[in-house]
């Protein structure tokens, strides 16, 4: 897919989303609820992805970007 096609696709999705938002005040309560559930799902996925990435990055590296030696697993001595 070329960059131009990708931009056109993103623009088409954005236009559909804006059209849906414009029609939302006149929509049925069921349609409003379903649209809200979809938006809540998307927001939840994004937030959980950001949390997972930040926790993984924080656990592997220190604040300066170097690997943290304390986070490595070593076998227990007997």
């Amino acid at each position: 897919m070329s960059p131009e096609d990708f931009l056109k696709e993103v623009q088409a999705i954005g236009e559909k989303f804006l059209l849906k938002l414009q029609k939302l005040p006149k929509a049925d309560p069921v349609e409003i609820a379903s649209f809200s559930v979809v938006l809540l799902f998307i927001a939840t996925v994004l937030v959980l992805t950001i949390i997972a990435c930040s926790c993984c990055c924080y656990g592997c590296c220190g604040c300066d970007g170097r690997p943290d030696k304390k986070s490595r697993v070593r076998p227990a001595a007997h």
Side-chain angles (χ1 to χ4, degrees):
M1 178 181 270
S2 69
E4 292 85 18
D5 292 339
F6 179 73
L7 288 176
K8 287 179 184 177
E9 190 71 29
V10 170
Q11 185 178 7
I13 292 171
E15 288 174 358
K16 287 179 186 177
F17 183 72
L18 286 176
L19 184 62
K20 191 70 151 173
L21 282 177
Q22 289 172 350
K23 290 181 179 180
L24 203 56
K26 297 178 245 172
D28 294 334
V30 174
E31 191 174 356
I32 293 172
S34 63
F35 188 72
S36 300
V37 167
V38 169
L39 284 180
L40 183 64
F41 175 76
I42 292 171
T44 303
V45 168
L46 289 174
V47 167
L48 289 176
T49 303
I50 291 169
I51 291 171
C53 289
S54 64
C55 288
C56 178
C57 205
Y58 179 75
C60 295
C61 301
C63 293
D64 56 357
R66 290 183 289 167
D68 188 11
K69 293 180 177 138
K70 293 184 285 184
S71 66
R72 298 190 184 186
V73 177
R74 294 190 177 115
H78 292 281

